[in-house]
Amino acid sequence: MCIFRREPLLPYRGSVIESEPIGLAALRRAVTDAESRVASRRWWDLDADDYQDEHGAFLGDVDFVWCPEGVREADARLLGDVRGRRVLELGCGAAAAARWLDGQGAAVVALDLSAGMLRHAREASDRSGVRVPLVQADALALPFGDRVFDIVCTAFGAVPFVADSAAVMREVARVLRPGGAWVFSITHPMRWIFWDEPDESGLIARNSYFDRTPYVELDGSGRPAYVEQHRTLGDRVRELVAAGFVLRDLVEPEWPAGHQQVWGQWSPLRGRLFPGTAIFLADRA
Ligand SMILES: C[S@@+](CC[C@H](N)C(=O)[O-])C[C@H]1O[C@@H](n2cnc3c(N)ncnc32)[C@H](O)[C@@H]1O
């Protein structure tokens, strides 16, 4: 699984795949949190320009798009009324969502591990004239006090990229006030059964849903260059509950009629058959 690769490596078929700047071979193997952090930081720094070239227009400069299916917060209102709310966007990338939230009257902070992604956030702020505080930090160690936010959210940020996602849930619970909301989108866990292909070859079940071994791409020295983590739906629910959340909803967006945009392994072909995104809505007890 590689959420955002433009031309997917073909995992699970062999070892060395094709020439890429840093992702040379794809496999499933255990990684430590430290390896994951180093890989993520480097990956998202190096990939930031390509990611924004590829997806920037779809995501906009001031817009909150939850997923490749095109669910927009302006329509879905998964966060409720944000006016006057203190909101933290985790794994913000270019922070288009944070700028949209600012326009809705929220007091928002945007956080990401990657300086490369935050550079794009600054550039988009300059273009749009909408400025929000940007923080470079790890979602595993949020540089905020306890109970200081009303809402924490992310579209595909941080959660899939840390080995100890239960610890992210605990960090989010720590910075949220009681009753505060935690809303995050990730690749739907059932997608891990398939290859990362938008076409027919991505319709055949090939991997065990229950195999939590991370997807890893290695660099030329054999070090993890990209790491993505799989948890089952049940795992995610248990992580939330253990951190003190009550799950309010699990949104599985359907592929909209007429939506033709392919994003990595997300495509109209696959989207009309099974979900590609899961959006968890949880409240801190
Ligand atoms: C797939 S991108 C999503 C970016 C943005 N939310 C969007 O919708 O375009 C994942 C983001 O998560 C960030 N990220 C990865 N690991 C992180 C961590 N441990 N803490 C904070 N951010 C992290 C990456 O730097 C990257 O910007």
Side-chain angles (χ1 to χ4, degrees), residues 3-4 33 36-37 39-41 43-45 47-48 51-52 55-56 59 63-67 89-97 111-118 135-142 153-163 168 185 226-228 263:
I3 298 182
F4 299 100
D33 245 328
S36 230
R37 187 178 306 111
S40 277
R41 205 162 169 159
W43 173 271
W44 291 106
D45 280 352
D47 196 57
Y51 181 88
Q52 297 305 330
H55 303 301
L59 295 169
D63 199 358
F64 195 149
V65 183
W66 280 106
C67 51
E89 186 192 8
L90 285 185
C92 63
L111 176 145
D112 202 283
L113 184 66
S114 158
M117 288 300 228
L118 292 172
V135 175
Q136 185 180 12
D138 190 337
L140 284 165
L142 296 174
C153 58
T154 183
F156 286 85
V159 175
F161 306 107
V162 296
V168 171
S185 61
Y226 179 91
V227 179
E228 200 175 317
W263 174 316

Side-chain angles (χ1 to χ4, degrees), residues 245-258:
F245 288 100
V246 175
L247 183 64
R248 183 165 20 107
D249 200 356
L250 171 57
V251 177
E252 297 168 297
E254 292 192 35
W255 194 268

Side-chain angles (χ1 to χ4, degrees), residues 3-4 66-69 154-161 169 182-189 191-192 228-233 236 250-251 253 265-266 275-280:
I3 298 182
F4 299 100
W66 280 106
C67 51
E69 289 85 353
T154 183
F156 286 85
V159 175
F161 306 107
M169 304 298 158
W182 167 217
V183 182
F184 63 97
S185 61
I186 55 171
T187 302
H188 198 290
R191 286 273 165 129
W192 282 71
E228 200 175 317
Q229 303 279 344
H230 168 51
R231 300 289 180 273
T232 67
L233 279 178
R236 293 290 182 207
L250 171 57
V251 177
Q265 47 97 353
W266 281 264
T277 297
I279 310 177
F280 291 79

Side-chain angles (χ1 to χ4, degrees), residues 101-140:
L101 289 164
D102 175 89
Q104 301 297 302
V108 63
V109 176
L111 176 145
D112 202 283
L113 184 66
S114 158
M117 288 300 228
L118 292 172
R119 179 170 44 77
H120 281 277
R122 279 196 306 278
E123 289 170 9
S125 288
D126 290 344
R127 277 196 302 275
S128 64
V130 183
R131 287 177 203 289
V132 297
L134 302 172
V135 175
Q136 185 180 12
D138 190 337
L140 284 165

